[in-house]
Amino acid sequence: AGTPLYVVTPFVRAAATDLNFTLAIALVAMVTVQILGFRSLGMSYLYKFINLPALGNVAKKPMGIMDLFVGFLELISEVAKVISFTFRLFGNIFAGQILLFVLPFLIAWILPSVAYGLELFVGAIQAFVFAMLFAAFSGVAMAGHGHDDEH
């Protein structure tokens, strides 16, 4: 009933093992994507999410109702991207950090040094994946969403 004799407290840990940090990075990335979309397409960028012009000619094009529904799905998708960014980065870095904290207590010193190199590689891959997803989302946001080929 007393104080524990040994407590393992990590004094140095990766910043991405905090969910608040990865959420902040994801929010900054997705707000930047939205800003790029508005800068590229102007206010017509909102038609990606709420496609009211598609409803203007429902008698000729009944798919306008479907376009409106797809816009709401796009809105949900934007929120899902933030959640996906957050937990993908957090989960991978947190799991690696736990591995690096536990491995030296279980195995001799040689194998943990290999794990440190592997985690450095995993961190680089996660940064690359994050950057590529950001680039893809930015490219989609800046692309026109109208039916310009009909004009």
Side-chain angles (χ1 to χ4, degrees):
T3 305
L5 189 55
Y6 295 105
V7 176
V8 177
T9 305
F11 294 108
V12 179
R13 65 185 181 113
T17 59
D18 185 2
L19 194 57
N20 294 318
F21 179 75
T22 58
L23 177 63
I25 290 175
L27 285 173
V28 166
M30 292 312 296
V31 165
T32 304
V33 165
Q34 302 309 315
I35 290 170
L36 290 172
F38 276 110
R39 287 182 72 191
S40 178
L41 301 173
M43 291 307 286
S44 67
Y45 178 68
L46 289 176
Y47 295 149
K48 175 183 176 185
F49 306 112
I50 304 170
N51 196 352
L52 293 178
L55 290 178
N57 203 2
V58 175
K60 283 183 167 178
K61 291 184 174 180
M63 290 303 289
I65 297 170
M66 182 64 79
D67 288 341
L68 183 69
F69 179 69
V70 168
F72 287 126
L73 290 179
E74 286 288 333
L75 194 60
I76 293 169
S77 169
E78 294 299 310
V79 174
K81 288 174 187 175
V82 172
I83 294 169
S84 172
F85 263 156
T86 301
F87 284 107
R88 178 183 296 115
L89 185 60
F90 172 75
N92 285 310
I93 302 302
F94 185 75
Q97 191 73 47
I98 294 297
L99 176 73
L100 293 180
F101 284 155
V102 170
L103 206 56
F105 292 104
L106 299 177
I107 305 173
W109 288 100
I110 303 277
L111 193 59
S113 62
V114 172
Y116 278 99
L118 182 63
E119 284 305 314
L120 186 64
F121 178 69
V122 167
I125 292 295
Q126 288 306 310
F128 178 74
V129 167
F130 197 95
M132 288 295 102
L133 285 172
F134 174 74
F137 294 154
S138 298
V140 169
M142 291 186 290
H145 302 289
H147 300 287
D148 294 334
D149 54 345
E150 294 177 8
H151 299 298

